[in-house]
Amino acid sequence: MQKVYILEDRGILYINGTDAKEFLQNMISNDINKVNEDNSCFASLLSPQGKFLFSFIVVKYKSGYFIDSEKSQTEALFKQLNTYKLRSKVEIMNLSNEFVVAAFNREKFLKFEGTKDTPGNTIKYREDSILLDPRNKNLGARLIINLEKLYLSLKKLELKDSPVNDYYKLSHELGIAQKNMNKLQNKLFGIECNFDELNGIDFKKGCYVGQENTARIKLKNKLSKRLLPVELIEGKLNQDDLIYNSEFEVGKILINDEYPYALIKYLNDHFINQIEFKTKNAKIKIRKPYWI
């Protein structure tokens, strides 16, 4: 039996209607044309200034799209999308009580017929979508399924329910933030969240909300800060704590909970990967993921 993690803290929106594709294309940081029966994508919704608001995975489902986001962000994302709806022929539904996301490893995914070892590769299992995580394939695969069918399907797939903390620990080790994303809202640019490296920004597509600043930072090589995972050695972290190497400030704690992250001046001479840094009440290390 392989392990499976039931991600109960993910929410699902469903976007449908004649204008659904065009509506999403004008909003999100990735190209909706990449999303079809065989491929899913990671994307974000930014503020008009290009600051981070929401991040999610977009999956084709029937005639519309599933939006798989952190559940604590789902209701606010639902409202935000509705404010942009205006006269578009679009229906947005919150299906978080009906659908659930389950994650399992990449090796298991590659045993299914017709799968490819590429991020975002999507197949149908009966009528449900299974996809290799579009951000980084080492995060494994995701099954989006109706809650009523979940446990029977997991049994048939020979997947055994395992502690969800193992999954989020892996995500933190990889340096991919997925928890308490609300704490990042309006605090940093989407591109500073490493969304370029996580396949979440398309620089060739046309306009979307926040596109100008995102493109400017990329084109003018102005990316000097990044969201990086923090390893707590001792003490306590508080949100907005400044991080120091001796007396030199190198960053700020943005997410201070179980899986902490900081916005780091990663090009600064005083930022040296793997040395110990200090905050007001803690000693920490900052890890730069292998994929940056």
Side-chain angles (χ1 to χ4, degrees):
M1 294 284 269
Q2 297 263 20
K3 292 177 178 179
V4 68
Y5 309 105
I6 315 299
L7 307 182
E8 286 172 1
D9 54 354
R10 301 293 293 182
I12 298 288
L13 298 179
Y14 183 54
I15 300 185
N16 197 11
T18 1
D19 296 340
K21 189 175 186 178
E22 190 187 353
F23 171 70
L24 282 169
Q25 184 70 333
N26 291 333
M27 306 287 308
I28 67 174
S29 62
N30 215 332
D31 186 351
I32 196 69
N33 294 307
K34 292 174 185 169
V35 181
N36 52 42
E37 297 291 333
D38 307 317
N39 197 60
S40 304
C41 84
F42 175 57
S44 58
L45 185 60
L46 307 174
S47 75
Q49 294 74 37
K51 293 284 180 86
F52 170 81
L53 293 177
F54 305 96
S55 60
F56 39 82
I57 291 169
V58 187
V59 183
K60 188 84 185 91
Y61 182 71
K62 297 188 173 167
S63 60
Y65 301 91
F66 273 151
I67 303 287
D68 158 9
S69 73
E70 191 182 1
K71 201 178 258 182
S72 62
Q73 287 209 308
T74 307
E75 196 50 46
L77 177 58
F78 176 73
K79 285 181 183 152
Q80 183 91 355
L81 289 169
N82 269 302
T83 59
Y84 281 123
K85 205 167 87 169
L86 304 172
R87 295 201 186 117
S88 302
K89 292 188 179 112
V90 172
E91 183 184 22
I92 305 168
M93 289 181 277
N94 190 344
L95 300 183
S96 301
N97 294 329
E98 293 162 52
F99 283 84
V100 67
V101 179
F104 55 88
N105 73 23
R106 174 176 157 212
E107 289 68 33
K108 175 77 177 173
F109 174 77
L110 293 173
K111 285 181 179 154
F112 287 98
E113 198 180 325
T115 53
K116 292 183 190 139
D117 194 13
T118 49
N121 180 229
T122 305
I123 57 159
K124 281 276 180 280
Y125 171 71
R126 299 200 165 96
E127 62 193 36
D128 302 302
S129 300
I130 300 183
L131 53 134
L132 195 53
D133 201 300
R135 294 166 289 194
N136 183 307
K137 53 193 186 182
N138 292 321
L139 275 173
R142 299 168 92 77
L143 162 67
I144 301 178
I145 190 166
N146 196 299
L147 196 50
E148 289 170 5
K149 298 193 302 195
L150 174 69
Y151 287 98
L152 185 62
S153 295
L154 294 186
K155 200 174 168 186
K156 285 186 174 161
L157 291 167
E158 296 182 339
L159 290 166
K160 180 174 171 282
D161 194 357
S162 303
V164 74
N165 285 354
D166 293 353
Y167 172 79
Y168 285 115
K169 202 173 152 213
L170 166 71
S171 188
H172 189 251
E173 280 164 10
L174 284 168
I176 299 167
Q178 298 196 60
K179 300 274 281 178
N180 297 301
M181 299 296 277
N182 291 340
K183 293 188 172 191
L184 303 180
Q185 285 185 318
N186 283 307
K187 294 271 185 83
L188 72 172
F189 290 104
I191 195 169
E192 292 176 334
C193 295
N194 311 313
F195 290 160
D196 187 8
E197 291 79 7
L198 295 172
N199 311 312
I201 302 176
D202 190 299
F203 289 98
K204 295 191 186 82
K205 73 171 270 191
C207 288
Y208 59 89
V209 182
Q211 184 242 352
E212 276 185 45
N213 275 345
T214 306
R216 189 179 295 127
I217 293 167
K218 169 85 169 175
L219 293 170
K220 298 202 165 169
N221 247 337
K222 291 257 195 254
L223 184 62
S224 61
K225 296 177 192 163
R226 284 185 183 272
L227 189 70
L228 297 179
V230 170
E231 184 188 324
L232 180 62
I233 297 166
E234 63 177 51
K236 187 177 185 304
L237 292 176
N238 297 299
Q239 196 176 1
D240 295 330
D241 274 354
L242 296 176
I243 299 165
Y244 292 96
N245 176 359
S246 305
E247 72 273 25
F248 300 102
E249 186 201 316
V250 295
K252 183 195 261 190
I253 300 287
L254 295 186
I255 298 175
N256 61 317
D257 298 311
E258 196 177 352
Y259 307 103
Y261 282 83
L263 184 60
I264 298 296
K265 301 170 182 174
Y266 78 110
L267 298 176
N268 188 300
D269 292 344
H270 300 288
F271 172 64
I272 303 151
N273 202 16
Q274 288 300 357
I275 71 159
E276 280 188 17
F277 296 92
K278 284 194 169 74
T279 67
K280 192 178 168 190
N281 299 310
K283 270 189 198 171
I284 61 170
K285 277 188 175 179
I286 293 154
R287 285 183 291 104
K288 194 170 156 194
Y290 75 87
W291 42 264
I292 287 180

